[in-house]
Amino acid sequence: MSISPSNPNEKRFSNAVVALCFLIVFPLVIWILLRLFDFNGLYGQDAYEYLRYADALVDWMKKGNPPGDYFWPVNYPFFGALGGYLTGNTLACLQFISVFSLTATAFVVYRVLGDFRERNSDKNILFLYCFCCCLMAPFLLRSAMLVMSDSVAILGVVCFYYGYFRYERTKKAKWLLLLSAAAGAAVMTRYALAIFLVLPAFHLLVLVFKNRHWYLLFPAIVLAALFLIPHGWIRYEEPFAFLGHNYLGEWSWQHWFQRVFNRQDGQVAYRLPNLLYAFSYVYHPGFFLLGAVILPFVKWSDWKPMVQRITLFSVLLYTFFIAGIGFQNQRFLLPLLPLVLILFYPAFLRSWHWLQTKIRLQRKWFFVGLVSLQLVLFVYSFNTVWLMNRVEKTIATSLQAYPADHLYCFYLDPALESYQVPQKLINLWKEPITRYKIQSYILFHPTRFSHQWEGHTLMENWAYLRKNYHLEELESFPDGWVLYQIKNQESKKRNAPDH
């Protein structure tokens, strides 16, 4: 592979400067911007559930009140709760953990690629590649701003592969211990990430006995098991309940070619079949803006070392697994991007050399344009999150002015509970309701759920309400949400115009 030599007169970033940027400067800058724009990282349903359980864990640590069972992996809310216990602000700690995990991921990718970097290649190009394509990747950056476990899980996977590469190369025991701890951290933050570990695990066993490090297997297992402690401590009654998740029960290779799915949570239709969608981390600009451009420059010889080929096959294995799930979710594809950035770096250098040869584009303008375009894509993709966060806050604030009565709702109930509205929340999704309290309230989006939840209890409850009660509109909110007051049919007749 021919790589243009770096400019000898150009100042190069030292490892200390790179570490300072990725581990201190960048997370603090993002954190300050989040504070300035008053974005707390809460959005949808999952983020509020992470916060709810983290708060329950804080209460458990302080007062001994049992936090209750929790279906998802407990490590992310557990470490957020530790921060909340020490600082008094659980929400801020959860969000900072996500932000720092992304910047740390970019730094680890930099260190991995530094090991494979040719001696005469440009170190500054490597820094800019990790900054632009990892830290500034629109979907990765968006996920890091949310109270979600995605960034933490990704960091665990990348640290595992860093330890894997270093152990194979140096044969030093410390890297075997590092990758073991990273494996435990990744899996106990997102169960499905165990798929990334299967193929390397076989190769590692061979390396362990080849290097006569078999005596390290026990301490390595112990280190990995340390991250099982919160899970076993909190979920001791049903430690293996996650194996019954419907992702596994409904998985099928036939889903690779489907784009319409009928599920227990309604019917969903997507633009692309699952298999094409599952590979979008390569070509979708929200994941990897340069992916489609770099792809023609990829060569099989780029992955000559065994560890890189095993990484490639692990990426493919995880991709095919995700494609077999009966729905599509961008969050599931996020862990693939840092590994793809590692695999595609030689192709990027080759494309960069070709670009300089053909049009002599100045590096600073190329990367300024790249960052600017990704910021535009980030703002576009983040807009939905931002607006929903604002809608949830607006509705919660408005509900503070209404009496503490029953409030029938759906989808927004985790947000409303988190913002501590005075009403008693009753979910319309869980079971049929045939008697509603007069003068109580209902918060609903009249058109959003009609197709996906057609024939479901949710829409049956809504239809029953409209047929048997008079719904007086009290207030409408952005994005189509409406607050009604439930009244009897007689009031509807009294309010009807005379003919």
Side-chain angles (χ1 to χ4, degrees), residues 419-472:
Y419 290 118
Q420 299 180 345
V421 297
Q423 293 79 22
K424 178 183 178 181
L425 303 177
I426 302 175
N427 193 298
L428 291 166
W429 183 88
K430 293 182 178 180
E431 57 186 8
I433 304 174
T434 56
R435 294 185 64 182
Y436 293 84
K437 184 181 178 183
I438 302 300
Q439 302 299 321
S440 61
Y441 307 99
I442 175 171
L443 178 68
F444 202 72
H445 195 300
T447 59
R448 179 174 178 174
F449 309 111
S450 58
H451 176 69
Q452 180 178 352
W453 299 99
E454 182 180 1
H456 189 272
T457 299
L458 172 68
M459 296 312 298
E460 291 177 352
N461 283 338
W462 174 243
Y464 183 88
L465 262 169
R466 296 180 63 188
K467 180 180 179 181
N468 296 280
Y469 295 87
H470 171 51
L471 301 181
E472 180 180 333

Side-chain angles (χ1 to χ4, degrees), residues 2 4 350-361:
S2 176
S4 58
R350 197 175 295 112
S351 64
W352 172 248
H353 177 65
W354 179 86
L355 190 64
Q356 284 190 311
T357 303
K358 295 296 182 181
I359 63 176
R360 299 186 181 277
L361 180 65

Side-chain angles (χ1 to χ4, degrees), residues 29-30 33 37 102 131-139 141-142 145 285-287 289 366-383:
V29 168
I30 296 173
L33 288 174
F37 285 96
L102 172 62
F131 173 75
C132 294
C133 297
C134 188
L135 180 58
M136 296 301 298
F139 291 166
L141 185 58
R142 179 183 64 187
M145 296 186 176
F287 287 105
L289 182 60
F366 174 80
F367 284 101
V368 166
L370 182 61
V371 170
S372 301
L373 184 55
Q374 290 199 119
L375 282 174
V376 171
L377 292 172
F378 164 74
V379 171
Y380 177 78
S381 66
F382 188 70
N383 187 55

Side-chain angles (χ1 to χ4, degrees), residues 123-316:
K123 198 172 184 179
N124 291 357
I125 286 287
L126 174 57
F127 172 82
L128 292 170
Y129 176 78
C130 295
F131 173 75
C132 294
C133 297
C134 188
L135 180 58
M136 296 301 298
F139 291 166
L140 276 181
L141 185 58
R142 179 183 64 187
S143 70
M145 296 186 176
L146 302 177
V147 178
M148 299 279 197
S149 64
D150 301 304
S151 292
V152 184
I154 292 168
L155 177 60
V157 169
V158 174
C159 285
F160 168 82
Y161 275 88
Y162 179 50
Y164 173 41
F165 292 162
R166 293 292 291 173
Y167 179 69
E168 189 272 343
R169 187 170 184 174
T170 68
K171 302 178 177 59
K172 292 183 179 180
K174 66 178 182 179
W175 298 113
L176 179 63
L177 300 179
L178 169 67
L179 68 88
S180 300
V187 173
M188 297 317 298
T189 306
R190 183 70 63 79
Y191 298 134
L193 298 186
I195 296 171
F196 280 114
L197 314 182
V198 174
L199 299 181
F202 288 110
H203 188 214
L204 282 166
L205 281 176
V206 173
L207 293 175
V208 165
F209 285 96
K210 181 180 179 181
N211 299 332
R212 297 183 178 181
H213 285 161
W214 52 265
Y215 62 91
L216 290 171
L217 287 177
F218 179 73
I221 293 172
V222 170
L223 276 175
L226 286 177
F227 291 90
L228 293 173
I229 292 176
H231 176 88
W233 194 4
I234 295 168
R235 303 203 62 200
Y236 64 91
E237 294 183 352
E238 293 184 294
F240 302 107
F242 66 91
L243 294 176
H245 199 289
N246 57 8
Y247 291 0
L248 298 175
E250 298 175 2
W251 191 95
S252 172
W253 64 269
Q254 295 177 341
H255 292 154
W256 295 350
F257 312 104
Q258 293 179 234
R259 67 176 191 87
V260 179
F261 301 92
N262 290 301
R263 298 174 45 79
Q264 63 179 9
D265 52 357
Q267 184 183 86
V268 289
Y270 303 102
R271 294 180 180 178
L272 297 174
N274 262 17
L275 195 57
L276 288 178
Y277 177 82
F279 279 96
S280 62
Y281 57 86
V282 174
Y283 61 82
H284 194 295
F287 287 105
F288 191 8
L289 182 60
L290 298 179
V293 178
I294 294 174
L295 199 58
F297 294 90
V298 170
K299 294 182 178 180
W300 175 251
S301 59
D302 291 340
W303 310 311
K304 189 175 181 179
M306 176 65 72
V307 290
Q308 294 195 29
R309 293 191 177 180
I310 290 177
T311 303
L312 173 64
F313 291 132
S314 297
V315 165
L316 293 175

